[in-house]
C-alpha cells in the first residue's frame, strides 16, 4: 500500500493554490510533477559535478561521464534491456520516433513500402511517418478501433502485405487510456517477419515494462511523463537493429574519426547521440526511475486503477456524461464530454476552481475524426492524486453542468 499523504510531501507543487483553491492536478498524461529528489539531483549536479562529458581528461568531466553512463544503466535495468548499448538518450518520445522513422526508412524502405500505425496514435507517431512518406514514397496503413476504443486485432492482421516493413503502435492511448494487447500485437508483427516500434510514452509511468519479455525491436518513452525532467527521453532498440541503422544526426560524439576524405561513426549507443547530451537530465531521469521503483510500479498501477474506477463510477452519475474509451484494459485516463458543453468551457471553468485538466484533441486529431468529435476533456491521474480530489472534481463538473444546462 502506498502512503499517499507522505508521497504528496515529496511534490512541493501540490501545496500550491490556484485562484485560492488547492491545486488539483489531473493533467498527468501531458506531464507529471517532479519529486524533490529529482529537482535536488539537478541542483546537486550543476553545483558539484558539471562538466562536458566523454572528452575530458579532468576529474569533473570523468565524474560527469560516469554519472551519465550510470544513468544509462539505471534505464537499462528499469526496462530490463540486455545491454546499456541498447539505450539511446533522446529529447523525448517524439525525437525517438523521429530517429527510427528517419534511420529505418533510409536503411530499410523504398517506394511503395508500408508502415502500419493505428488510428489512436499521438501525432508524434503519425507525422514522422508522413514526412518519410513524402520523401520516400512509402505509405501508412491504419489499424481501426471498436466502439470501446480498442484496436481491432483482426483488422490489424489484415493490413500486413509483402510490402509491410515496420509496425509502429502505441502501448497505451493518451486519449482513451486503452492498454493495447501489445505482446499479441508484437507476436503478430513477428509472425509476418516485421519489426515493431512501440510508443511507450503513456505506458512506462503506469505499468511494468520489460523490453526483453515484450521482444519489440524498438521502444520509446519520455522522462517528463515519469516524474523526470523535460527534454530527455529514451529510445530502446535491439542491438542488432540499432547496428543496422544509419546515424540520425551528425556532429560531435557520434563519430570515431573525421576527415574530409572519410568519416567513420562511433559505436553504440553513441552513434545516435550527436552533440553534447543532456547529461544533467539523464542523471535526474535515473533519479526519477529510482523513485518510481522505490514506490513499486505494481503498487502504482494498482492504486491508479482504483482512482480510475472510482472516478469513472462517479462521473457516470452525472447526467449527460459521455466517456470516450471504455477498454477492458485501461490506464488512469478519462476522456469525457458532458451534454453539449464545449470541452474548452468545461476546462476553463474547472481551472477557475483550481482543477487542471486538458481539453482539445490531445495531439490525436485522426482519433477525434474517427470518433466524430472535435475534442474532449481529459482527466489523467498519478499516484499522488487522491479520492478526495476526485470528489472535488466531480462536484466541480456537476457545478459546471448545472451552470450551462440549467437543470
Ligand atoms: N506518444 C504519446 C502516446 C504521448 O502521449 C505523447 C505526449 N503527449 C507523446 C508520444 C510525445 O511525447 P513527448 O512530447 O514527450 O515527446
Amino acid at each position: 500500500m502506498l502512503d499517499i499523504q507522505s508521497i504528496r510531501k515529496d511534490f512541493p507543487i501540490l501545496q500550491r493554490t490556484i485562484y485560492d483553491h488547492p491545486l488539483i492536478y489531473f493533467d498527468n498524461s501531458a506531464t507529471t510533477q517532479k519529486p524533490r529528489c529529482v529537482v535536488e539531483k539537478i541542483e546537486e549536479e550543476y553545483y558539484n559535478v558539471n562538466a562536458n562529458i566523454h572528452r575530458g581528461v579532468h576529474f569533473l568531466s570523468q565524474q560527469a561521464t560516469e554519472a551519465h553512463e550510470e544513468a544509462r544503466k539505471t534505464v537499462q535495468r528499469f526496462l530490463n534491456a540486455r545491454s546499456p548499448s541498447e539505450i539511446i538518450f533522446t529529447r523525448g518520445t517524439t525525437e525517438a520516433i523521429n530517429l527510427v522513422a528517419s534511420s529505418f526508412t533510409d536503411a530499410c524502405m523504398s517506394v511503395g513500402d508500408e508502415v502500419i500505425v493505428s488510428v489512436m496514435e499521438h501525432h508524434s507517431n503519425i507525422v514522422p511517418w508522413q514526412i518519410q512518406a513524402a520523401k520516400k514514397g512509402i505509405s501508412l496503413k491504419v489499424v481501426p478501433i471498436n466502439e470501446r476504443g480498442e484496436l481491432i486485432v483482426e483488422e490489424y492482421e489484415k493490413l500486413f502485405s509483402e510490402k509491410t516493413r515496420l509496425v509502429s503502435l502505441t502501448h497505451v492511448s493518451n486519449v482513451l487510456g486503452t492498454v493495447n494487447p501489445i505482446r499479441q500485437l508484437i507476436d503478430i508483427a513477428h509472425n509476418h517477419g516485421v519489426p515493431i516500434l512501440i510508443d511507450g510514452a503513456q505506458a512506462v509511468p503506469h505499468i511494468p515494462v520489460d523490453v526483453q519479455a515484450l521482444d519489440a525491436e524498438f521502444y520509446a518513452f519520455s522522462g517528463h511523463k515519469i516524474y523526470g525532467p523535460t527534454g530527455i527521453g529514451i529510445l530502446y532498440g535491439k542491438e542488432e537493429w540499432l547496428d543496422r541503422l544509419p546515424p540520425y544526426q551528425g556532429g560531435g560524439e557520434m563519430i570515431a574519426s573525421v576527415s574530409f576524405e572519410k568519416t567513420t561513426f562511433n559505436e553504440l549507443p553513441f552513434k545516435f547521440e550527436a552533440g553534447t547530451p543532456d547529461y544533467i537530465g539523464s542523471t535526474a531521469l535515473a533519479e526519477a526511475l529510482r523513485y518510481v521503483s522505490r514506490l513499486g510500479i505494481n503498487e502504482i498501477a494498482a492504486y491508479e486503477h482504483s482512482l480510475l474506477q472510482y472516478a469513472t463510477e462517479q462521473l457516470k452519475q452525472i447526467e449527460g456524461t459521455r466517456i470516450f474509451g471504455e477498454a477492458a484494459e485501461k490506464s488512469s485516463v478519462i476522456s469525457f464530454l458532458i451534454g453539449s458543453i464545449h470541452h474548452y468551457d468545461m476546462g476553463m471553468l474547472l481551472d477557475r476552481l483550481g482543477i487542471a485538466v486538458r481539453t482539445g484533441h490531445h495531439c490525436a486529431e485522426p482519433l477525434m475524426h474517427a470518433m466524430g468529435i472535435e475534442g474532449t476533456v481529459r482527466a489523467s491521474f498519478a499516484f499522488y492524486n487522491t479520492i478526495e480530489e476526485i470528489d472535488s472534481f466531480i462536484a466541480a463538473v456537476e457545478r459546471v453542468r448545472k451552470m450551462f444546462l440549467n437543470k
Side-chain angles (χ1 to χ4, degrees), residues 155-166:
E155 296 296 324
Y156 167 58
E157 285 227 64
K158 285 190 208 152
L159 293 179
F160 285 86
S161 76
E162 72 285 358
K163 298 273 191 194
T164 312
R165 293 288 167 268
L166 188 73

Side-chain angles (χ1 to χ4, degrees), residues 141-377:
K141 299 281 156 191
V142 184
V143 190
I145 53 172
N146 64 23
E147 66 290 347
R148 289 187 304 281
E150 297 162 328
L151 289 186
I152 306 174
V153 177
E154 306 80 64
E155 296 296 324
Y156 167 58
E157 285 227 64
K158 285 190 208 152
L159 293 179
F160 285 86
S161 76
E162 72 285 358
K163 298 273 191 194
T164 312
R165 293 288 167 268
L166 188 73
V167 174
S168 192
L169 294 175
T170 194
H171 194 161
V172 174
S173 160
N174 65 314
V175 177
L176 306 165
T178 310
V179 180
N180 286 319
I182 212 70
R183 191 55 243 237
Q184 187 190 5
L185 303 175
I186 292 166
D187 284 348
I188 291 170
H190 289 171
N191 291 342
H192 288 85
V194 175
I196 181 164
L197 161 64
I198 306 296
D199 169 354
Q202 298 294 344
V204 169
H206 304 289
I207 52 179
V209 171
D210 176 332
V211 290
Q212 288 192 64
L214 287 182
D215 203 31
E217 278 64 31
F218 305 101
Y219 195 101
F221 76 92
S222 297
H224 70 98
K225 292 190 197 277
I226 185 163
Y227 314 97
T230 52
I232 188 120
I234 297 297
L235 173 67
Y236 156 82
K238 284 185 184 170
E239 203 160 347
E240 68 263 30
W241 275 96
L242 292 176
D243 268 334
R244 281 179 64 181
L245 300 188
Y248 172 52
Q249 294 179 328
E253 303 266 349
M254 53 74 72
I255 50 86
S257 87
V258 176
S259 72
F260 283 108
E261 289 70 43
K262 185 174 168 55
T263 289
T264 54
F265 302 130
N266 205 339
E267 60 192 14
L268 286 177
F270 312 112
K271 181 174 86 174
F272 291 108
E273 294 179 356
T276 300
D278 186 358
Y279 53 85
I280 306 281
S282 61
T283 50
L285 171 60
E287 192 63 35
L289 298 183
R290 280 192 289 276
Y291 182 85
V292 165
S293 301
R294 277 199 299 279
L295 298 184
I297 193 80
N298 288 310
E299 286 72 10
I300 290 172
Y303 177 70
E304 289 178 347
H305 190 70
S306 68
L307 293 179
L308 173 74
Q309 269 187 320
Y310 182 72
T312 306
E313 280 161 21
Q314 297 302 311
L315 203 57
K316 279 184 173 171
Q317 308 293 321
I318 296 179
E319 207 182 306
T321 301
R322 277 189 295 163
I323 292 181
F324 299 89
E326 298 204 81
E329 285 286 319
K330 216 183 141 173
S331 85
S332 52
V333 176
I334 309 185
S335 270
F336 67 97
L337 289 172
I338 307 284
S340 55
I341 303 172
H342 196 276
H343 46 92
Y344 287 144
D345 291 334
M346 177 63 80
M348 276 163 55
L349 287 163
L350 291 178
D351 177 55
R352 284 280 156 183
L353 299 168
I355 302 169
V357 292
R358 187 137 297 236
T359 58
H361 55 58
H362 315 295
C363 298
E365 279 191 69
L367 175 60
M368 296 298 136
H369 296 155
M371 297 193 296
I373 52 176
E374 269 177 42
T376 70
V377 184

